[in-house]
Amino acid sequence: MDITAYWLNKKLKRTKDGKCYYYYPYTRCEIDDTQTVYVDGKEYIRIEVTEEQWKALTKEDNKEYNSDRRAHNKDWTADTPKIQKIDDD
């Protein structure tokens, strides 16, 4: 999951003709005239989709983001030793 693309798509951005913009990382498989945006030195593709398509895409992004975040938290806590209470008496 590319976190920058996730945050770029967090808020609906409309085009002039009523469609919505959706961003994803550039993969070098796109057609040369596809619009790109640079954020922090990385290139992202900006495509126009309908609002229904945007909702479906961002719903999948949310599921993937939350799944990745849960997996990261699980890995991080699995390696952390449990804190034990030490009796100072």
Side-chain angles (χ1 to χ4, degrees):
M1 159 64 50
D2 187 289
I3 195 71
T4 303
Y6 173 78
W7 286 108
L8 285 170
N9 293 315
K10 197 72 174 155
K11 185 176 179 184
L12 180 73
K13 298 170 190 78
R14 295 209 179 268
T15 65
K16 292 178 183 174
D17 59 352
K19 291 191 175 186
C20 308
Y21 287 124
Y22 181 78
Y23 299 85
Y24 65 93
Y26 179 71
T27 61
R28 291 181 171 59
C29 297
E30 288 77 21
I31 300 171
D32 289 338
D33 63 348
T34 306
Q35 289 186 344
T36 59
V37 177
Y38 285 91
V39 178
D40 294 332
K42 289 179 71 178
E43 191 171 11
Y44 293 88
I45 300 298
R46 184 176 78 182
I47 58 172
E48 295 181 13
V49 296
T50 65
E51 189 170 347
E52 293 80 26
Q53 291 170 327
W54 181 83
K55 286 179 182 179
L57 289 166
T58 54
K59 183 178 179 179
E60 289 300 314
D61 287 348
N62 286 333
K63 286 186 345 189
E64 185 178 348
Y65 172 74
N66 289 326
S67 175
D68 288 352
R69 190 181 62 181
R70 278 192 295 276
H72 171 74
N73 289 341
K74 185 177 179 182
D75 290 343
W76 185 80
T77 55
D79 295 338
T80 306
K82 295 191 187 277
I83 298 173
Q84 297 177 353
K85 184 176 178 181
I86 299 173
D87 192 11
D88 288 292
D89 291 339

